[in-house]
Amino acid sequence: MMSKLKYLFLGFIFGVILIKAEVVSWFRIQEMFRFQAFHMYGIIGSAIVVGAISILLIKKFKVKTIYGKEIIIVPKEFTKGNIIGGLIFGLGWAMTGACPGPLYALIGSGLLVITFVLFFAVLGTWAYGRLKDKLPH
Amino acid sequence: MNILTQPWPWYVSGPLIGLMVPVLLILGNKPFGISSSLKHICSACIPGKIEYFNYNWKAESWNLLFAFGIVLGGFVAGYCFSNPNPIQISENTIADLNAMGIKDHSGFVPSEIFNFQSLLSLKGFILMIIGGFFVGFGTRYADGCTSGHSIMGLSNLQWPSLVSTICFFIGGLIMTWFILPWIMRL
């Protein structure tokens, strides 16, 4: 359990970043989809650059985990869900102005009404699990 | 005090978000991603007889701790040390939103729509309830969200993540430009 507490701490750090970056703002998301500011593109773009360089270095120098284990990244498999699910999430992203991370941060910031958005996001996930076999993949 | 309450520019916050990727990998071989937590909540609370939710969610509890950490981080940064000034969004965005009837842009969300009373209004119901449902359904169907695909997946040069990211964007553009103006007229 103690070893898992580090994830609580990392989540805390991530929550602080999401708020200070203003990524949690519905207005920032609107600004992005209207191409009226560079802010969100700068954040997502620089995050990908730093993430990609990090993974490249991890692979090149065969960096191990702090427990001495080999780092394994499971590849993403393509399904039609990447397209259909992606489009559905995109609609929801522009409606709620939030992806899952910001939903948690917004609730923490005191916007308790967002618990309803999160609750229905959980229900949406449940509905996917229920309908999975009937959906094209 | 000022440094705690003022927002951070993109070139500070973006690289810090990117660093979550190697830190999670090095601390425990964990892939950066948030939307899986919604699946684990289903598995823990309402698994039913659905095969998709019948797995040992406790083995993935790190992801739930991470999500709960985000709530705590949101509390400290967004409540205790909240920025007293409205977010400096573009004048063009303000003008566009004003034209749609969204006039209060002082908070993180438009207070006219995102409040408890308007959960029962048509606009509030569509944007919060249906929007939330789309976020949960879409991320699981796509097998990832902005973190899992757009940041983790693209950092690892995964082409399915590129397809998903492009589709996230197309969905967002369709909503912003074609559907949202219509919802706001309801």
Side-chain angles (χ1 to χ4, degrees):
Chain A
M1 187 61 207
M2 279 309 285
S3 71
K4 280 189 177 162
L5 278 181
K6 59 180 182 279
Y7 300 113
L8 186 74
F9 179 71
L10 279 179
F12 173 84
I13 302 281
F14 187 55
V16 170
I17 301 170
L18 287 178
I19 296 278
K20 291 300 167 197
E22 298 176 335
V23 171
V24 298
S25 163
W26 189 92
F27 302 97
R28 284 288 189 202
I29 304 302
Q30 275 295 305
E31 198 184 48
M32 171 180 76
F33 284 132
R34 292 171 187 278
F35 304 105
Q36 286 164 337
F38 180 71
H39 184 81
M40 287 298 302
Y41 296 98
I43 289 180
I44 298 174
S46 59
I48 295 168
V49 169
V50 170
I53 293 172
S54 306
I55 290 183
L56 199 75
L57 292 175
I58 286 174
K59 285 180 177 168
K60 187 167 162 60
F61 294 104
K62 299 195 169 55
V63 177
K64 297 220 161 41
T65 69
I66 52 167
Y67 304 108
K69 296 233 172 71
E70 187 192 348
I71 290 179
I72 298 160
I73 309 174
V74 181
K76 300 272 185 190
E77 256 176 69
F78 179 76
T79 71
K80 291 192 191 88
N82 286 117
I83 297 170
I84 310 168
L87 289 171
I88 295 171
F89 166 55
L91 295 172
W93 191 12
M95 290 161 90
T96 62
C99 27
L103 286 181
Y104 291 115
L106 284 171
I107 293 169
S109 81
L111 282 162
L112 297 181
V113 71
I114 304 297
T115 49
F116 281 86
V117 183
L118 180 69
F119 178 77
F120 280 89
V122 171
L123 275 191
T125 297
W126 189 84
Y128 169 73
R130 181 79 181 74
L131 300 171
K132 186 172 177 284
D133 298 334
K134 298 191 179 85
L135 297 168
H137 278 92
Chain B
M1 221 47 192
N2 204 14
I3 193 136
L4 289 172
T5 56
Q6 72 187 2
W8 302 346
W10 66 265
Y11 49 82
V12 172
S13 42
L16 286 175
I17 292 173
L19 281 178
M20 298 307 291
V21 170
V23 169
L24 280 168
L25 286 172
I26 291 170
L27 286 184
N29 244 335
K30 305 298 185 205
F32 179 52
I34 320 286
S35 64
S36 313
S37 63
L38 302 173
K39 183 182 172 190
H40 306 324
I41 293 172
C42 288
S43 176
C45 303
I46 37 173
K49 288 198 176 64
I50 301 164
E51 198 193 331
Y52 188 66
F53 298 123
N54 280 289
Y55 60 92
N56 181 17
W57 62 270
K58 285 179 186 152
E60 303 292 330
S61 60
W62 76 272
N63 198 256
L64 291 170
L65 283 167
F66 190 77
F68 186 63
I70 299 175
V71 177
L72 299 179
F75 175 71
V76 169
Y79 188 83
C80 304
F81 296 102
S82 67
N83 177 7
N85 306 308
I87 292 175
Q88 298 295 309
I89 47 169
S90 139
E91 292 296 328
N92 294 329
T93 310
I94 292 175
D96 286 358
L97 294 177
N98 274 339
M100 282 200 299
I102 298 173
K103 305 211 190 297
D104 178 7
H105 34 81
S106 58
F108 285 134
V109 295
S111 61
E112 303 106 319
I113 308 167
F114 287 75
N115 61 59
F116 286 104
Q117 289 82 12
S118 69
L119 279 167
L120 298 171
S121 77
L122 208 49
K123 267 183 242 180
F125 182 85
I126 294 174
L127 291 184
M128 288 188 276
I129 305 293
I130 298 181
F133 189 90
F134 279 5
V135 168
F137 187 88
T139 50
R140 212 64 265 124
Y141 195 3
D143 196 27
C145 60
T146 343
S147 329
H149 274 311
S150 308
I151 295 176
M152 180 68 200
L154 288 185
S155 291
N156 197 29
L157 313 177
Q158 299 292 301
W159 70 268
S161 293
L162 181 61
V163 173
S164 280
T165 301
I166 291 169
C167 291
F168 296 165
F169 236 83
I170 294 173
L173 291 175
I174 292 172
M175 176 54 64
T176 300
W177 291 91
F178 301 109
I179 309 178
L180 190 63
W182 181 81
I183 295 173
M184 290 308 297
R185 279 199 294 270
L186 289 175

